[in-house]
Amino acid sequence: QVQLVESGGGLVQPGGSLRLSCAASRSIFGRYVMGWYRQAPGKQRELVATITSGGTTTYTTYADSGKGRFTISRDNAKNTVYLQMNSLKAEDTAVYYCNARDQLVVTSPPYWGQGTQVTVSS
């Protein structure tokens, strides 16, 4: 029901910043919980952050690894979710995936983008 396309990854030096974008093919407002996950080689995919797509307030969650450094946000008019990453570390190197969970049809499997590579290196 929704396609997700990530962009914004690349090579950055330690301490630098990147902003990732996730563009959805349809409106996500009020129906989907959006999230960012990452997966490093040889490791399991792990949660980075989530954000609600509707309601009167925005609710976000963060994994401990990104607290104080990462910020998830959304632009409902553009059907886009962002992940601002500051003070990047080498251990942040991973493929970052966008995720959408349907809160209306709860039996629907989650949607995933193809990922964007983030490499933090000197």
Side-chain angles (χ1 to χ4, degrees), residues 40-120:
K43 301 183 68 176
Q44 296 184 12
R45 190 171 300 185
E46 64 179 14
L47 172 70
V48 177
T50 64
I51 187 169
T52 58
S53 299
T56 59
T57 60
T58 299
Y59 185 80
T60 59
T61 63
Y62 296 92
D64 289 340
S65 60
K67 287 182 178 178
R69 300 188 298 123
F70 296 174
T71 303
I72 189 170
S73 61
R74 71 187 189 214
D75 186 331
N76 292 328
K78 297 180 179 179
N79 296 327
T80 300
V81 177
Y82 304 96
L83 182 68
Q84 178 67 45
M85 303 187 293
N86 299 325
S87 302
L88 284 164
K89 308 173 182 178
E91 53 261 44
D92 295 318
T93 296
V95 177
Y96 284 71
Y97 297 91
C98 185
N99 166 272
R101 292 187 287 114
D102 194 336
Q103 297 298 97
L104 178 60
V105 184
V106 296
T107 58
S108 177
Y111 296 91
W112 294 93
Q114 294 301 306
T116 184
Q117 177 71 48
V118 172
T119 302
V120 184

Side-chain angles (χ1 to χ4, degrees), residues 10-22:
L11 175 65
V12 64
Q13 296 183 13
S17 299
L18 283 174
R19 188 178 74 160
L20 307 183
S21 298
C22 172

